[in-house]
Amino acid sequence: MKRLLIAAFAMLALTAGSSAQQLPAMTNQTANIKRTPLQKFDVPGANYETVIGLAEIAPNANIGRHTHPGIEGGYLIEGGMTLLVEGQPPKEIKPGDSWQIPTGTIHDAKAGSGGAKVIASYAVEKGKPLASPAQ
């Protein structure tokens, strides 16, 4: 099953070189999601790191249910999508909209008929996978 940004979306571009090699979840490509790492850096004084990436999601594609070991923030650049957060009603996202997903919350997203282009940021615990599939 397809995983984002992992969303992310996303979802979900890190700086070139070794940073990109450390983030396989952000650089994996599927037929429905193109992920481009942008940046990765440590959160000062904490056991967290920030990861920022770009995700281009094909029309009508689902990212797949997953969680993150930290908070996710997203911003829709173009297209449209439906954000599916467990325990909440579906939320339609349009260009210019942003969102936050709390640590460990199961969520998914489905791109609209024109696809979606998303910038996603994560503040996640170091040493843990950026995302994990959810049942």
Side-chain angles (χ1 to χ4, degrees), residues 14-24 26-27 37-41 51:
L14 299 172
T15 50
S18 63
S19 292
Q21 293 173 349
Q22 295 171 6
L23 297 167
M26 286 299 298
T27 57
L38 294 172
Q39 195 171 46
K40 176 183 172 181
F41 52 92
V51 178

Side-chain angles (χ1 to χ4, degrees), residues 5 9-12 54-57 75-81 95 99 111 114-120:
L5 297 158
F9 271 258
M11 11 79 27
L12 342 347
L54 172 70
E56 297 171 80
I57 308 163
Y75 178 85
L76 185 65
I77 298 170
E78 60 185 59
M81 66 180 214
W99 62 90
K117 186 183 274 188
V118 174
I119 293 284

Side-chain angles (χ1 to χ4, degrees), residues 6 19 32 60 65 90 103 119 135:
I6 288 198
S19 292
N32 293 320
N60 302 310
R65 289 168 42 92
T103 301
I119 293 284
Q135 303 298 326

Side-chain angles (χ1 to χ4, degrees), residues 1-14 23-28 30 33-37 51-57 62-69 72-73 99 107-109 118-122 124 128-134:
M1 189 160 207
K2 300 156 211 102
R3 306 277 187 257
L4 171 20
L5 297 158
I6 288 198
F9 271 258
M11 11 79 27
L12 342 347
L14 299 172
L23 297 167
M26 286 299 298
T27 57
N28 285 342
T30 68
I33 303 171
K34 176 184 175 188
R35 298 176 183 90
T36 306
V51 178
I52 303 171
L54 172 70
E56 297 171 80
I57 308 163
N62 271 75
I63 292 166
R65 289 168 42 92
H66 63 281
T67 63
H68 303 283
E72 172 188 349
W99 62 90
H107 60 288
D108 192 355
V118 174
I119 293 284
S121 66
Y122 309 89
V124 294
K128 292 199 175 179
L130 184 59
S132 298

Side-chain angles (χ1 to χ4, degrees), residues 100-114:
Q100 290 183 358
I101 309 289
T103 301
T105 300
I106 297 173
H107 60 288
D108 192 355
K110 181 177 182 177
S113 61

